[in-house]
Amino acid sequence: MRRDGADISRLPMLELRIVRSVETRSTRPESRPGKYDISERATYEGELRDHPVEPPKDPARSRKVELVLHGSVRTVACGCDEGRQPCSRCRAKGKLSCETGPLCPACKGVEPCTWCDGTGRRRKDRAPAGPSRERNAAGRTTCLKCRKQRTACPQCQGRGTEKCPKCDDTGFRDCPVCEGERSTEHTPCEGTGLVTRWTGGSVGHTPRRDTVELPDPAPPLRVRWQAGRTGAWRRATLTSTDEPIPEALDPAHVKAVEAALAPRPDEVARRAEIEWLQLVAVTIPDEPDHVFHVFPGSDGPEVLPIWSRRRSLRVAAVVAGVVVALLLVAALV
């Protein structure tokens, strides 16, 4: 547009922020141990997709509604043994093999018994008792394994190890999981022997945000910053898909806004915030080095002069020439 020798270009500014509440629905079998009370949950009948659920008042908030299919709740026997299950640690034996105690500090496990070596059976290389063995039997005692007299270490009595404090040398100790009872509480029913089952429905609302970028050509960055800070922006908020867009929008923005506001699949609520500002760029023949950007401010029109492309190119050429000259001087030195 040209008026009184000045070139006027429209550069309207636009900001559009949309938050939509998108709904998802799903069903699944659910269960809880024992007699579980779900009377506080709302119920639905038939197909979950046909059940009405009010959209959230604030589409920017996430929400999940838990429902129960009418008539699906039942409490049944778990199938375990009255709330118990065989212990998996000891395999329902109640006992575990106990490790041997530490070596006897007296014999160090070497010849704990001169007759059986702690096995309870006569060693094949042992000869019948004679005078030499009788002389070496001093200080020995009866072996607990083979019951021979004056053959065993007096401290470990033929075991080769110290007495085990866990099993009292029986070789077995109580299972630490079931404590010797051979069974444990059945986890799925928490020992009740009962399970409550039902068909659950879930309706979720998730916010999804979109923005619309400023259509080209965009004003210079400095202009956008100043206009965002002091410009008298006009605003509108749309909360439904059938609300018309503001008539005051610039025609250059209408198509972009309509495309952005098109309904999305599974959208149940929305909030669209539109802000726009009329902005023009004015070029005056008497000021070829500047472009004057004019927009409405809080106290009236504001004018922001910006270097024109012509001046920017001229300054860039001068700077480039200075750099080349400096490089040449540096090369000659």
Side-chain angles (χ1 to χ4, degrees):
M1 180 186 301
R2 190 174 184 85
R3 180 175 297 178
D4 297 332
D7 288 327
I8 302 176
S9 302
R10 297 171 59 87
L11 297 175
M13 298 182 66
L14 172 73
E15 290 187 7
L16 173 58
R17 297 178 297 274
I18 311 171
V19 56
R20 293 180 170 88
S21 180
V22 178
E23 184 179 85
T24 56
R25 300 193 177 205
S26 61
T27 60
R28 63 194 177 279
E30 294 191 51
S31 64
R32 295 292 187 278
K35 294 182 178 180
Y36 190 75
D37 183 13
I38 56 173
S39 58
E40 294 183 357
R41 292 195 187 184
T43 60
Y44 70 96
E45 297 184 4
E47 297 293 334
L48 180 62
R49 64 173 178 268
D50 300 327
H51 182 74
V53 176
E54 184 178 355
K57 295 181 179 180
D58 183 1
R61 289 191 174 185
S62 298
R63 187 182 70 168
K64 180 174 286 188
V65 180
E66 298 292 349
L67 304 169
V68 177
L69 177 62
H70 180 72
S72 67
V73 182
R74 62 192 187 280
T75 300
V76 298
C78 175
C80 61
D81 186 9
E82 297 182 353
R84 308 291 294 180
Q85 62 182 352
C87 179
S88 59
R89 176 71 185 278
C90 64
R91 298 183 180 180
K93 295 179 180 178
K95 300 286 185 180
L96 293 175
S97 297
C98 187
E99 297 179 357
T100 58
L103 291 176
C104 171
C107 67
K108 308 297 183 183
V110 179
E111 282 199 343
C113 173
T114 58
W115 183 264
C116 70
D117 270 348
T119 64
R121 296 181 180 181
R122 175 185 173 184
R123 284 174 45 174
K124 294 181 179 180
D125 60 343
R126 288 300 182 204
S132 60
R133 284 195 56 215
E134 292 294 334
R135 289 193 299 269
N136 295 331
R140 292 266 171 173
T141 186
T142 301
C143 178
L144 294 177
K145 299 289 186 178
C146 65
R147 313 307 300 176
K148 290 289 183 179
Q149 297 180 356
R150 295 188 297 173
T151 60
C153 169
Q155 186 160 339
C156 66
Q157 296 179 304
R159 292 187 299 265
T161 59
E162 291 185 326
K163 188 175 182 178
C164 178
K166 295 182 179 179
C167 66
D168 197 25
D169 271 0
T170 61
F172 296 94
R173 58 187 174 90
D174 285 344
C175 173
V177 176
C178 67
E179 298 180 346
E181 295 185 7
R182 301 186 179 184
S183 63
T184 59
E185 181 183 278
H186 191 221
T187 303
C189 68
E190 293 185 352
T192 63
L194 300 173
V195 176
T196 301
R197 295 191 174 101
W198 70 92
T199 299
S202 178
V203 180
H205 295 120
T206 305
R208 293 186 182 176
R209 293 174 170 82
D210 295 308
T211 58
V212 175
E213 296 182 357
L214 192 68
D216 292 331
L221 179 61
R222 182 185 170 192
V223 175
R224 298 201 300 270
W225 179 83
Q226 184 68 22
R229 193 171 65 90
T230 62
W233 292 74
R234 300 183 64 181
R235 295 173 174 84
T237 300
L238 309 181
T239 57
S240 66
T241 57
D242 55 359
E243 285 188 80
I245 62 175
E247 295 181 356
L249 281 183
D250 192 276
H253 294 158
V254 171
K255 188 174 181 180
V257 172
E258 288 178 342
L261 294 180
R264 299 292 189 265
D266 300 322
E267 176 186 341
V268 295
R270 66 164 52 182
R271 183 174 64 244
E273 297 175 343
I274 308 174
E275 299 181 2
W276 67 96
L277 180 72
Q278 297 297 338
L279 172 71
V280 295
V282 181
T283 303
I284 302 175
D286 295 339
E287 292 285 344
D289 291 338
H290 290 88
V291 177
F292 298 91
H293 292 80
V294 184
F295 57 87
S298 56
D299 297 326
E302 293 198 16
V303 180
L304 182 63
I306 301 293
W307 281 1
S308 65
R309 177 177 176 81
R310 173 183 172 182
R311 182 171 182 179
S312 298
L313 292 175
R314 188 191 310 155
V315 171
V318 172
V319 172
V322 172
V323 172
V324 171
L326 291 175
L327 292 176
L328 290 175
V329 171
L332 294 175
V333 174

